[in-house]
Structure formats: C-alpha cells, structure tokens
Amino acid sequence: MRANEQVLTNARLVLDDDIVRGSLVIQAGHIKAIDQGATALPSAIDCEGDLLIPGLIELHTDNMEKYFQPRPKVSWPSRSAALAHDAQMAASGITTVFDAVSIGDVDDQSMRQEALYQMVEALADINRSGMARVDHRLHLRCEVCHPDTLARFQSLADTPELGLVSLMDHSPGQRQFASLDAYRVYYKGKHGFDDASLDAFIERQQGFSAQYSSAYRKAIAQACHERGLALASHDDATIEHVAESLEYGTQVAEFPTTLEAAHASHHHGMAVMMGAPNVVRGGSHSGNIAASELVRLGVLDILSSDYYPAALLDAVFLISKMEDGYDLPRAVASASRKPAEAVGLNDRGRIAEGLRADLIRVREVDSHPLVQRVWCAGKQVY
C-alpha cells in the first residue's frame, strides 16, 4: 500500500445492485479500487463486517436556520452557527448538503429574510476556508408570492455555491394549502390570529400571489436554465401543477402532496422527493400523502431529511425493511445516487472506482443504523 492510500477491509459494500463483502482502496480523495474479500494488510482499517454505503446527499434541508436563530428573535454568530450545522450533517452521514435558504416569507415576523445573506456568506466562508467537514451547496427556496423575491433571487443567482432552486407558493388556496380550512387551522395555531386578523392576512397573501407568482416563476425558471441550475417544484398537488412544472423544465418534484401529482411527476421523468421524517413518523405531519405509500408504488425517487438530519439514514433502512419496500441498494440510492443524478453531480453518490470517496460505515444494532465513521472526499470527518 502506498503512503497516500487508505484501505478499508472486511466491509459489506453496498453497490448499485448488490451487497458484497470486500475491501476498498482510497487514494487522493477518490475510490481507487474495489476488491472482493478481505486483505491482510496490517495498515488496513477493519470494518468488522459493517456496511459501507455512499455518503448521503441532502437536497433540501432548512436545518441551518435553527442554528442561526436558535430561539425566536435570537441571532447566533454566523460562523459558529454554520459550523455547528456542518457538524450535525457529518454525524448524520450527510457528505453533500444543499442548504435550503428562503427568499421571501409569508410570515412578516420571521427572521429568515434578515438572516438570508448572513447564511449564504457563512456557507461560502466555511467552504472556502477549509473548515467545513462536508461539501455544502446552496439551495434557494423562492417564495414566488412575495414582492421582493425576484430581486433577491437575482442578487444571489450567480453565487458560486448555488446548485438548486425551488419555486414555492405557500399562499392560501395554493398547493400545500389548497384547503382554506387547513390554512386557517395552521396559521391560527402558528401565529394566534383571531378571525378578523386571519381574514385580512389571507386576503393580502392571495393578492400577492395573484400579482407576483406567475411572473416570478417564469423569470426565475428562465434565469436557472441560462445558468444551468437544477430546478425543483414544491408541493405540487394536481396534474395541472405538474404540467406547469414540466413546462418550466423542472428536474425535481419536491414533496408532492397527492398521489396523482407524485405519479404524474415520476411518469414524466421528474425525480419525486419526499421527506424522510414522513417515513420515520409514519406519515405526513400536514396530512398529505404518506411517503411509504409512494415507496410501495415504486414512485419515490429521492429522500430528504427536510427538518431532521438524522431522519435520512433512518428512513433509508426503514424502507429497506418495509413489506413491498425497496431492497437496501435501492433504498440507499434514494439518498445518494438518485439525488446526485437529479442535480448533475456525476462524481459521487455511488461506491464505484474513480468516484469521490464519500463513505459511511454503518452498524445495525437492534435493527437501528448507527453511524460508525464518515469519510468525505477520503478524509474522515466523523
């Protein structure tokens, strides 16, 4: 073994379509070789029969916001917040993360917009300084019903870390909130509106949606195509929503809320992404379609940890044990190869020669997957 090589041996390697016991050689941050069987090299790392899977790829998480605003109206220093978030990603086995930051918010009391540029700058800081344990990319979540969204998007559209843009409309009567009754229950609970205040809020948000949403969707989608940025829909609920997403050249269908929208998105070649918490909890917290149902129908392509990073690995193993679920290689692919393909990252997401050595050593204890070690580009980060 050369001085700059690492060898992992006695592992169960989860490949594209199979699980094989073998060894893996890492050189210069990439997988140099894969061999069946164990090696007797004294310097090799003995994985003790644990699973070795590709590093997880997270396309949509707003987890970072929790560190920038750990309590209502409390801001945390940017670098410390970003590094704490980064450490949680590594511990969860996520080696590539598209950190989702919101442009525009229907909640005027939210600090999201105040922290927007701080979060973008903090990501660039920890990436470029070499402090980040994992690879951070940027995902801009564009609330197209907000008056300032287009201008703010344009100010960030050429950010080097940007790799994914999603188009959202959380106004009453749209997508996730197609039911006004559900919208009223949600916002009364979240903000304590009385009936009169909520009526005024609904009227204002519907006016914004009518004025801005269509024009902003078109303008942002065009800007993404010009820059080669991957585009995602959000909360599509109807065949008409899916048709609109296809018209804009969308690659990822984030969290479709109905079976018909998920089926149509998958049928037309969009990668259907669902939340891993939906799997772990046994259903949607907002009453929409269950991710497990899409697994049984074979139309769930990508898992996202959404708001709970550790849920991603847990969900992978849960769907591999479901009746009529996915086998382990396919389940793993939903959090590695499939998201990589959806956003054009062809150098990772699989255990294969020549690809980045983004790897997780996982041991199952009482059927629960425990992260033992994590490597990002060949460097052990956990």
Side-chain angles (χ1 to χ4, degrees):
M1 184 176 75
R2 296 180 182 177
N4 63 343
E5 289 183 345
Q6 298 179 72
V7 176
L8 310 181
T9 192
N10 191 22
R12 288 178 290 149
L13 307 173
V14 180
L15 307 179
D16 289 353
D17 300 304
D18 198 7
I19 302 173
V20 300
R21 187 174 290 269
S23 304
L24 182 149
V25 181
I26 300 171
Q27 184 181 60
H30 290 75
I31 299 170
K32 179 185 177 183
I34 299 170
D35 299 307
Q36 292 202 19
T39 176
L41 282 172
S43 58
I45 297 172
D46 185 357
C47 292
E48 302 175 356
D50 292 340
L51 291 160
L52 201 61
I53 70 174
L56 306 183
I57 298 174
E58 171 57 70
L59 295 187
H60 177 124
T61 178
D62 52 15
N63 182 68
M64 184 170 62
E65 292 181 348
K66 301 173 188 176
Y67 289 96
F68 277 76
Q69 299 164 18
R71 288 189 175 182
K73 306 302 180 184
V74 173
S75 297
W76 205 256
S78 296
R79 177 178 282 183
S80 294
L83 288 172
H85 161 66
D86 172 66
Q88 187 178 13
M89 292 295 107
S92 300
I94 297 168
T95 53
T96 301
V97 52
F98 284 71
D99 290 302
V101 298
S102 295
I103 301 180
D105 198 320
V106 297
D107 179 8
D108 290 336
Q109 303 303 313
S110 171
M111 295 175 67
R112 278 178 164 177
Q113 299 315 292
E114 178 184 324
L116 170 63
Y117 293 101
Q118 296 172 17
M119 289 189 286
V120 173
E121 290 167 7
L123 285 181
D125 171 39
I126 66 170
N127 264 354
R128 297 170 194 175
S129 66
M131 289 187 288
R133 293 169 175 81
V134 305
D135 185 11
H136 289 267
R137 308 293 177 101
L138 182 62
H139 172 174
L140 293 180
R141 304 174 65 210
C142 298
E143 192 69 64
V144 293
C145 60
H146 192 281
D148 297 334
T149 291
L150 181 58
R152 288 179 176 174
F153 168 78
Q154 290 169 335
S155 73
L156 294 169
D158 294 311
T159 303
E161 285 77 16
L162 182 58
L164 179 62
V165 175
S166 56
L167 302 175
M168 310 182 301
D169 187 345
H170 284 104
S171 59
Q174 296 295 323
R175 290 172 165 80
Q176 183 178 357
F177 295 112
S179 166
L180 283 180
D181 289 339
Y183 188 91
R184 286 179 177 277
V185 170
Y186 180 85
Y187 275 91
K188 273 190 174 182
K190 185 174 182 180
H191 300 296
F193 284 124
D194 59 31
D195 287 340
S197 298
L198 183 55
D199 287 342
F201 181 78
I202 288 174
E203 183 177 358
R204 180 169 177 258
Q205 298 304 323
Q206 288 178 328
F208 281 158
S209 181
Q211 185 173 357
Y212 300 113
S213 289
S214 181
Y216 283 6
R217 278 182 188 277
K218 183 176 181 179
I220 293 171
Q222 182 177 344
C224 290
H225 293 314
E226 290 171 354
R227 291 167 172 79
L229 298 170
L231 191 65
S233 62
H234 193 82
D235 292 339
D236 283 353
T238 67
I239 298 299
E240 290 75 22
H241 290 159
V242 175
E244 181 183 47
S245 296
L246 289 168
E247 180 183 345
Y248 289 133
T250 303
Q251 290 100 325
V252 180
E254 288 187 342
F255 316 133
T257 63
T258 65
L259 183 56
E260 66 173 357
H263 257 303
S265 297
H266 182 83
H267 174 75
H268 289 289
M270 286 191 284
V272 173
M273 181 165 74
M274 295 294 284
N278 186 313
V279 175
V280 175
R281 295 180 67 254
S284 166
H285 73 276
S286 54
N288 295 318
I289 188 71
S292 58
E293 181 66 16
L294 300 189
V295 171
R296 292 187 180 95
L297 295 169
V299 298
L300 185 147
D301 301 300
I302 296 172
L303 283 169
S304 163
S305 71
D306 196 4
Y307 58 88
Y308 202 95
L312 190 53
L313 186 64
D314 287 353
V316 164
F317 279 78
L318 283 171
I319 68 174
S320 75
K321 294 176 170 65
M322 282 174 47
E323 185 177 353
D324 299 323
Y326 296 167
D327 62 18
L328 186 59
R330 185 177 179 185
V332 167
S334 72
S336 54
R337 175 167 58 89
K338 288 294 188 177
E341 291 172 349
V343 294
L345 290 179
N346 300 317
D347 64 341
R348 68 195 73 188
R350 303 165 55 225
I351 293 180
E353 291 181 5
L355 298 190
R356 277 173 56 113
D358 293 346
L359 302 161
I360 320 170
R361 179 180 164 187
V362 179
R363 179 174 299 168
E364 286 192 89
V365 179
D366 292 334
S367 298
H368 189 88
L370 296 179
V371 176
Q372 302 297 299
R373 297 285 186 274
V374 178
W375 294 264
C376 185
K379 179 181 178 181
Q380 185 177 321
V381 295
Y382 178 82

